[in-house]
């Protein structure tokens, strides 16, 4: 069964496929827990939250990504400039030079991330809104304007951050341009998202070009919807299930890619897209085969070990794509709760396995954490 597909998303997929047909897809990930709305794990034994692996702080993810179209669903489809890539958070898309990597911007606990790999070039912040912060007291730095720091100035690195202002923000920053000690911070609010760009003398030449690409969209740069029914919070006896398309009707030979969309569970009607990933045919077909071969049991679940077993912070929506970028099915993957985990299409629920869960994470789609049983199946290999 094929699902209706917006032509702009299909154009994005075709463009990405054509420009990067020879590129290998990376599954690198930096695990750092995002801020949780409330505690939901009992702090005993295996019921503790399991991080993806040892926290590696601000390590830079160095890899190539597809460049995509579908940046402006209101007018003609925008084209990502040669040598640039599109980054999406919520309903805001920004373009940055390809050489800008991805990393976790330092937080107030910057002194606790040691040993760690230093960031040695400009990057896009992976944490977006919120992030796990250790309760440590780092040495106080000389006062600087909001948005500069909090780490010492000698550790500053040019970077782009997209912050959801609807969530708690520890450091409000006014829109506009601020300069300090040879560094420049630009802040622009579009909808509920503030785009923050910190540059030095070496990156100042591209700063205005980056900010000029900021725009709202109802499709991400890779083709994900910026809002999804999957964002609904599940409950006991009421898992969140897609309404159309089944994996057993998908012809593996027709699968040319896999679109992975990560959402914060902000509720129906909210804009919840956190990150997106476009994987190649090899990854897509292997994932499809693994799901169909997985036990039709759902889980793993351990509700007895959790205060709020069904509470979930994030979810994945996965679309196998054909060569034209048409979505062949819609699959929801629940992975971070203590109950209700599993891979679901409109008719079947499968259990999480290494091949059906961990293989989905990579690039900006990060496994931030989950309950012990699901984390063992979803943590990507480093």
């Amino acid at each position: 069964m094929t699902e209706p597909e917006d032509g702009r998303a299909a154009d994005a997929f075709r463009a990405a496929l054509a420009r990067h047909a020879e590129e290998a897809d990376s599954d690198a990930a930096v695990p750092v827990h995002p801020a949780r709305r409330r505690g939901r794990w009992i702090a005993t034994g295996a019921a503790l939250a399991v991080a993806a692996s040892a926290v590696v702080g601000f390590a830079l993810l160095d890899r190539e990504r597809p460049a995509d179209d579908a940046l402006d669903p209101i007018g003609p489809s925008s084209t990502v400039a040669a040598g640039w890539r599109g980054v999406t958070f919520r309903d805001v898309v920004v373009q940055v030079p390809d050489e800008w990597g991805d990393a976790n911007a330092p937080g107030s606990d910057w002194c606790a991330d040691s040993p760690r790999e230093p960031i040695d070039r400009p990057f896009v912040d992976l944490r977006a809104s919120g992030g796990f912060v250790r309760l440590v007291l780092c040495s106080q730095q000389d006062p600087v304007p909001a948005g500069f720091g909090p780490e010492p100035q000698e550790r500053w690195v040019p970077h782009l951050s997209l912050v959801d202002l609807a969530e708690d923000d520890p450091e409000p920053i006014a829109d506009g341009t601020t300069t300090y000690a040879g560094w420049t911070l630009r802040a622009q609010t579009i909808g509920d998202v503030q785009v923050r760009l910190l540059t030095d003398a070496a990156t100042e030449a591209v700063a205005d070009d980056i900010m000029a690409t900021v725009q709202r969209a109802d499709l991400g740069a890779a083709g994900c919807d910026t809002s999804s029914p999957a964002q609904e919070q599940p409950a006991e006896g009421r898992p969140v299930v897609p309404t159309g398309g089944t994996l057993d009707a998908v012809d593996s030979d027709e699968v040319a890619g896999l679109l992975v969309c990560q959402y914060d569970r902000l509720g129906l009607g909210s804009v919840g897209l956190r990150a997106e990933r476009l994987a190649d045919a090899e990854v897509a077909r292997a994932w499809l085969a693994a799901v169909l071969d997985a036990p039709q049991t759902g889980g793993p679940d351990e509700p007895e070990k959790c205060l709020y077993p069904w509470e979930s912070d994030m979810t994945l929506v996965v679309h196998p794509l054909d060569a034209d970028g048409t979505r062949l099915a819609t699959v929801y993957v629940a992975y971070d709760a203590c109950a209700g985990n599993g891979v679901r299409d409109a008719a079947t629920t499968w259990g999480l396995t290494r091949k059906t869960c961990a293989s989905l994470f990579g690039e900006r789609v990060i496994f931030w954490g989950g309950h012990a049983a699901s984390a063992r199946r979803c943590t990507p290999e480093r």
Side-chain angles (χ1 to χ4, degrees):
M1 177 183 294
T2 12
E3 297 188 347
E5 171 65 6
D6 192 306
R8 294 180 297 270
D11 289 343
F13 176 69
R14 285 193 293 268
L17 202 62
R19 282 192 292 267
H20 295 269
E22 301 302 322
E23 291 185 4
D25 200 64
S26 169
D27 282 322
V30 175
V32 179
H33 287 289
R36 300 208 177 261
R37 291 184 290 278
R38 61 176 176 170
R40 58 187 170 86
W41 287 298
I42 300 173
T44 57
L48 288 171
V50 177
S53 65
V55 174
V56 296
F58 315 134
L60 190 67
L61 304 189
D62 186 5
R63 61 187 175 273
E64 298 295 325
R65 295 165 197 77
D68 303 292
D69 304 319
L71 294 183
D72 185 1
I74 300 171
S77 178
S78 301
T79 301
V80 174
W84 289 58
R85 64 181 175 102
V87 176
T88 308
F89 177 68
R90 301 295 189 247
D91 58 352
V92 173
V93 180
V94 188
Q95 297 181 36
V96 296
D98 271 342
E99 60 266 22
W100 286 46
D102 289 317
N104 292 311
S108 60
D109 58 348
W110 57 267
C111 60
D113 285 281
S114 181
R116 60 179 174 85
E117 298 177 34
I119 303 174
D120 58 4
R121 60 188 172 94
F123 67 95
V124 181
D125 184 14
L126 280 168
R127 291 200 209 196
S129 183
F132 177 84
V133 178
R134 298 171 182 82
L135 297 177
V136 296
L137 183 63
C138 295
S139 60
Q140 187 172 359
Q141 304 301 306
D142 293 335
V144 296
F148 296 82
E151 74 279 20
Q153 184 176 344
E154 61 268 18
R155 296 192 181 188
W156 294 356
V157 178
H159 67 276
L160 175 76
S161 293
L162 294 96
V163 179
D164 187 344
L165 298 180
E167 301 291 318
D168 292 336
D169 180 23
E171 188 177 31
I173 297 174
D175 281 1
T177 301
T178 306
T179 58
Y180 176 80
W183 291 79
T184 301
L185 176 68
R186 291 169 172 82
Q188 177 184 344
T189 300
I190 178 168
D192 289 331
V193 174
Q194 187 174 58
V195 180
R196 301 173 180 177
L197 178 64
L198 181 68
T199 55
D200 60 4
T203 51
E204 181 62 21
V206 298
D208 287 339
D209 293 335
I210 292 174
M211 297 303 291
T213 68
V214 176
Q215 57 187 300
R216 291 183 88 170
D218 57 13
L219 285 175
C224 289
D225 301 313
T226 56
S227 181
S228 169
Q231 296 169 196
E232 182 180 6
Q233 189 67 226
E236 186 174 1
R238 187 181 54 78
V240 182
V241 180
T243 57
T246 59
L247 286 182
D248 60 4
V250 176
D251 184 347
S252 178
D253 292 337
E254 294 183 1
V255 175
L258 196 68
L259 181 62
V260 182
C261 311
Q262 187 176 43
Y263 296 92
D264 289 314
R265 289 199 192 261
L266 301 180
L268 293 175
S270 300
V271 177
L273 182 62
R274 171 172 284 268
E276 53 185 355
R277 174 192 179 200
L278 188 60
D280 62 19
E282 182 179 359
V283 172
R285 292 172 183 175
W287 178 81
L288 175 62
V291 172
L292 294 176
D293 192 48
Q296 296 183 15
T297 57
D301 295 335
E302 294 181 292
E304 70 282 359
K305 296 182 179 179
C306 305
L307 293 172
Y308 306 101
W310 284 82
E311 186 178 271
S312 169
D313 291 330
M314 297 183 191
T315 190
L316 299 179
V317 177
V318 184
H319 302 289
L321 306 174
D322 69 12
D324 291 326
T326 301
R327 298 175 183 178
L328 301 174
T330 295
V331 178
Y332 292 174
V333 181
Y335 61 89
D336 71 341
C338 300
N341 295 311
V343 180
R344 293 179 172 87
D345 67 10
T348 307
T349 300
W350 294 270
L352 299 176
T353 68
R354 294 287 304 165
K355 292 181 179 179
T356 65
C357 190
S359 63
L360 295 174
F361 294 94
E363 302 182 16
R364 294 187 61 80
V365 177
I366 304 300
F367 176 72
W368 295 96
H371 186 260
S374 60
R376 285 192 291 270
R377 292 161 175 79
C378 297
T379 305
E381 294 182 2
R382 294 192 53 76

